[in-house]
Amino acid sequence: MNSTSIHISSLRHKDVMNEFDNILKKGKYACFPAPDIKHIGKNLYLLGMPFNKKIHWFMAEETTNNGRNATLNIIDKHVIDGNSISKIITLPIMERGILDNTEYSLSNEVDRYNTDMKMIQAIRKNTMGDYDFYYSHENIFKITPRKSHANF
């Protein structure tokens, strides 16, 4: 079993800045629950979105949930560094109460050898419960499979 690093991106990144809302509106995302992290927030999610053949990762903190939609504050690397939240989004709650848009496959948008793509497929297959998630340093987080059959 090996771990995969997730680098939290920036809403100010030139690939992301002008396309974030458009990609979100088209439902092009993967969104998984993540454990609470003391200095970042509670009710956290990992949000992966495709930009220019790569996946950019953000964290999102759920602020409200009415059973049909969840409102989330986007936590990018600038928020982790201490800046205020600059983006609030709403995602529909899918069947089984998840936020992940499992109907969407990132394969057409991302280089097929991308390790982030393999990680998304593995998490969707095995569920997030089979993984440990922890803060590594700066804007980097690690996801490590707990079980031998849950790997990337």
Side-chain angles (χ1 to χ4, degrees):
M1 294 192 302
N2 60 352
S3 63
T4 297
S5 296
I6 293 177
H7 298 258
I8 301 302
S9 191
S10 167
L11 290 170
R12 298 177 199 165
H13 192 285
K14 65 181 180 178
D15 286 352
V16 174
M17 194 180 333
N18 298 322
E19 286 296 313
F20 185 92
D21 291 331
N22 189 33
I23 287 175
L24 191 63
K25 189 186 302 182
K26 291 178 182 176
K28 296 181 177 184
Y29 61 86
C31 189
F32 309 112
D36 296 348
I37 299 172
K38 190 174 185 178
H39 68 285
I40 295 175
K42 296 180 178 181
N43 302 320
L44 294 176
Y45 289 85
L46 289 174
L47 178 65
M49 302 174 78
F51 295 94
N52 292 335
K53 296 291 187 185
K54 297 182 209 164
I55 294 174
H56 284 254
W57 290 98
F58 306 92
M59 296 186 83
E61 182 177 30
E62 183 180 276
T63 56
T64 60
N65 182 327
N66 65 11
R68 290 186 312 276
N69 295 298
T71 301
L72 305 134
N73 292 331
I74 295 297
I75 299 171
D76 67 356
K77 72 178 187 177
H78 300 292
V79 173
I80 292 171
D81 290 342
N83 294 307
S84 60
I85 299 284
S86 63
K87 189 81 162 164
I88 299 170
I89 64 169
T90 301
L91 293 181
I93 296 171
M94 308 294 184
E95 65 218 35
R96 296 176 289 134
I98 64 172
L99 297 181
D100 185 23
N101 182 12
T102 56
E103 297 295 313
Y104 172 67
S105 169
L106 291 93
S107 58
N108 293 332
E109 310 269 349
V110 179
D111 175 11
R112 65 183 174 144
Y113 301 108
N114 187 300
T115 56
D116 291 349
M117 181 71 183
K118 292 176 183 173
M119 181 173 58
I120 287 171
Q121 291 168 337
I123 292 171
R124 283 180 169 170
K125 180 179 175 185
N126 296 298
T127 76
M128 192 65 181
D130 288 339
Y131 299 89
D132 288 320
F133 176 84
Y134 62 94
Y135 178 70
S136 178
H137 60 283
E138 294 180 8
N139 303 311
I140 300 172
F141 296 78
K142 299 250 185 216
I143 293 182
T144 306
R146 282 190 198 141
K147 300 177 182 177
S148 60
H149 69 273
N151 54 33
F152 305 128

